[in-house]
């Protein structure tokens, strides 16, 4: 588990990491959107800009409702985890912490800033560092399992159909390579879940491979130990949940509901431009997004900036005329990512540094 000293060090390092990640995210997103706008408006610039006003206003409310619902679902999920660990944190405080966590996760590679932020802020609400770490680890574990197991399965059965739909058949070789690595990772997680000792043996053998040692060099043993430690924490958290099967089922259900709400943002954007969405379309759009988000998780760019926009551009191209694509992607990206980042940033700044201000105001 993370120690108190580690938590303080991570807190001090976070502002630097967040500043760099935020700068990189904004720069890549802006560059990508400019390119998409230029490409979309190459044939009809006037219609591209007019499409800004053609989006149905009532669907903006729908998009905000979906986003708010996703925040609430995630809050209830964390509330349920804290309940399993016999901790009592108010839902309103959990919602604030979750938004701050979204911000730091969105602007750091592999969402690496999310865990220390959540641990620190939960600790400030009275939880021990150990239990705060358990809450954050369980949250990440279930989200990772959702993608680690579902991603390879969906990609394996539907990869040819998906690549054809997106016009990315030339990536089939890379996809097969990623699929192999993802399947290997999923099997490792499942094995460690049921046989933690054997999972540890496999990890050790993996890091003893010659090409792995060549890639990592002198950091090989340190990385190996870190992975083993993470797996131990992962297993200890699941051991706690396995003693509370009803709560675990609720947490799994809330995890699925959270991502279902997130994936419904894209169909709502299409509906805002008059696209008739039926059940089959919704399933297809969700499936395409699932695979895109799954693939983006392997890219160390904060928020998957650039790749996320291009991926949804390909999805929207199935349903919308060319002059609407860039605007639709911009709306989707703002609601699904930038709104979370902006609102989360407010809570991040207020919550992370409020204690320092209070301490500075105290008489010496």
């Amino acid at each position: 588990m993370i120690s108190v000293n580690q938590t303080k060090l991570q807190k001090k390092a976070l502002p630097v990491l967040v500043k760099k990640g935020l700068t990189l995210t904004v720069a890549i997103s802006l560059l990508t959107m400019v390119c998409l706008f230029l490409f979309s408006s190459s044939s009809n610039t006037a219609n591209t800009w007019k499409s800004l006003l053609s989006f149905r206003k009532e669907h903006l409310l729908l998009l905000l409702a979906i986003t708010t619902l996703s925040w609430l679902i995630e809050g209830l999920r964390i509330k349920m985890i804290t309940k399993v660990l016999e901790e009592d944190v108010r839902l309103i405080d959990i919602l604030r912490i979750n938004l701050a966590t979204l911000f730091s996760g969105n602007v750091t590679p592999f969402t690496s800033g999310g865990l220390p932020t959540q641990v620190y802020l939960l600790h400030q609400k009275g939880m021990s560092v150990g239990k705060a770490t358990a809450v954050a680890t369980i949250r990440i574990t279930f989200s990772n399992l959702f993608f680690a197991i579902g991603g390879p399965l969906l990609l394996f059965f539907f990869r040819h159909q998906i690549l054809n739909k997106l016009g990315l058949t030339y990536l089939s070789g890379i996809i097969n390579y990623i699929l192999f690595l993802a399947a290997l990772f999923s099997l490792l997680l499942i094995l460690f879940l049921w046989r933690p000792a054997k999972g540890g043996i496999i990890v050790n053998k993996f890091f003893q491979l010659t090409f792995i040692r060549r890639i990592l060099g002198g950091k090989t043993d340190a990385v190996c130990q870190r992975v083993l430690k993470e797996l131990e924490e992962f297993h200890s958290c699941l051991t706690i949940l396995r003693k509370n099967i009803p709560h675990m089922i609720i947490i799994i259900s809330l995890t699925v509901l959270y991502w279902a709400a997130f994936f419904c943002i894209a169909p709502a954007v299409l509906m805002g431009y008059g696209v008739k969405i039926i059940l089959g379309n919704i399933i297809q759009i969700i499936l395409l997004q699932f695979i895109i988000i799954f693939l983006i998780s392997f890219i160390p760019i904060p928020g998957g900036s650039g790749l996320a926009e291009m991926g949804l551009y390909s999805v929207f191209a199935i349903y919308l005329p060319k002059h609407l694509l860039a605007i639709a992607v911009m709306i989707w990206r703002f609601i699904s990512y930038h709104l979370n980042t902006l609102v989360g940033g407010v809570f991040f700044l207020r919550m992370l540094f409020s204690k320092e201000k209070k301490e500075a105001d105290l008489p010496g």
Side-chain angles (χ1 to χ4, degrees):
M1 294 290 181
I2 298 174
S3 67
V4 176
N5 289 334
Q6 284 177 310
T7 304
K8 290 180 178 178
L9 288 172
Q10 287 173 332
K11 183 207 168 186
K12 291 178 181 179
L14 266 176
V16 176
L17 186 62
V18 164
K19 185 177 179 180
K20 290 181 179 179
L22 186 58
T23 302
L24 180 63
T25 300
V26 172
I28 295 176
S29 290
L30 286 176
L31 179 61
T32 305
M33 287 309 304
V34 168
C35 292
L36 292 181
F37 266 101
L38 291 175
F39 182 72
S40 296
S41 62
S42 59
S43 58
N44 198 329
T45 304
N47 282 342
T48 297
W49 291 110
K50 285 180 182 178
S51 63
L52 276 169
L53 302 176
S54 64
F55 190 83
R56 297 176 180 177
K57 306 301 183 292
E58 62 271 20
H59 283 81
L60 284 175
L61 295 176
L62 175 61
L63 288 169
L64 292 175
I66 292 172
T67 303
T68 304
L69 178 63
S70 70
W71 294 346
L72 180 59
I73 292 171
E74 181 68 352
L76 292 172
R77 181 164 72 131
I78 300 301
K79 180 70 175 176
M80 184 58 61
I81 296 172
T82 58
K83 185 177 180 180
V84 171
L85 297 177
E86 299 179 344
E87 290 288 339
D88 185 22
V89 184
R90 295 186 308 164
L91 180 60
I92 187 65
D93 289 330
I94 289 175
L95 290 172
R96 291 168 180 163
I97 291 170
N98 285 350
L99 285 166
T101 300
L102 270 177
F103 169 76
S104 58
N106 280 352
V107 299
T108 50
F110 299 117
T111 66
S112 55
L115 188 144
T117 299
Q118 192 164 40
V119 171
Y120 176 79
L121 294 178
L122 286 172
H123 179 54
Q124 291 303 306
K125 292 300 177 182
M127 291 184 65
S128 68
V129 174
K131 284 194 174 182
T133 304
V135 171
T137 305
I138 291 171
R139 167 186 165 270
I140 293 172
T141 294
F142 276 92
S143 291
N144 287 346
L145 281 174
F146 179 70
F147 281 93
I149 295 174
L153 286 175
L154 291 174
L155 195 54
F156 177 78
F157 289 109
F158 298 102
R159 64 186 185 280
H160 297 301
Q161 177 185 346
I162 290 169
L163 291 176
N164 285 333
K165 281 281 186 183
L166 299 178
L168 300 174
T169 51
Y170 59 90
L171 293 178
S172 58
I174 298 174
I175 296 298
N176 288 334
Y177 176 70
I178 293 176
L179 179 59
F180 172 76
L181 292 178
L184 188 63
F185 178 69
S186 300
L187 289 173
L188 179 61
L189 282 179
I190 294 170
L191 177 63
F192 192 83
L193 174 61
W194 298 108
R195 295 288 187 272
K198 290 184 178 180
I201 291 172
I202 291 176
V203 170
N204 276 313
K205 288 184 176 180
F206 174 78
F207 281 98
Q208 293 303 316
L209 293 174
T210 304
F211 77 96
I212 294 297
R213 299 194 74 86
R214 285 179 180 174
I215 293 173
L216 297 177
K219 297 181 180 179
T220 305
D221 292 334
V223 174
C224 178
Q225 291 304 311
R226 182 178 176 181
V227 171
L228 287 172
K229 185 178 179 181
E230 292 295 328
L231 287 174
E232 286 175 6
E233 289 184 1
F234 163 79
H235 185 261
S236 64
C237 291
L238 287 181
T239 300
I240 295 171
L241 288 176
R242 283 164 66 180
K243 297 176 182 177
N244 298 272
I245 298 299
H247 290 93
M248 184 167 69
I249 292 173
I250 294 173
I251 293 169
I252 292 172
S253 300
L254 289 171
T255 301
V256 174
L257 284 174
Y258 170 78
W259 285 107
F262 176 85
F263 290 138
C264 281
I265 293 174
V269 172
L270 292 174
M271 290 168 62
Y273 278 115
V275 177
K276 186 177 181 181
I277 300 295
I278 59 176
L279 181 61
N281 288 342
I282 291 178
I283 293 174
Q284 183 182 69
I285 296 168
I286 288 177
L287 176 62
L288 291 170
Q289 288 182 89
F290 190 103
I291 299 302
I292 289 170
I293 299 299
F294 168 71
L295 294 175
I296 287 174
S297 66
F298 288 87
I299 309 299
I301 299 175
S305 294
L307 296 173
E309 288 90 342
M310 289 188 289
L312 263 293
Y313 186 94
S314 300
V315 173
F316 287 159
I318 301 171
Y319 303 95
L320 293 173
K322 187 176 180 180
H323 70 276
L324 291 176
L325 293 177
I327 298 294
V329 171
M330 183 181 72
I331 294 172
W332 171 83
R333 188 60 167 166
F334 176 78
I335 295 294
S336 66
Y337 179 79
H338 293 296
L339 181 61
N340 291 332
T341 306
L342 288 170
V343 176
V346 173
F347 287 105
F348 178 86
L349 293 173
R350 289 183 62 183
M351 298 184 71
L352 197 63
F353 301 110
S354 60
K355 188 172 185 294
E356 285 186 355
K357 186 177 183 301
K358 289 179 181 178
E359 290 175 349
D361 291 339
L362 291 175

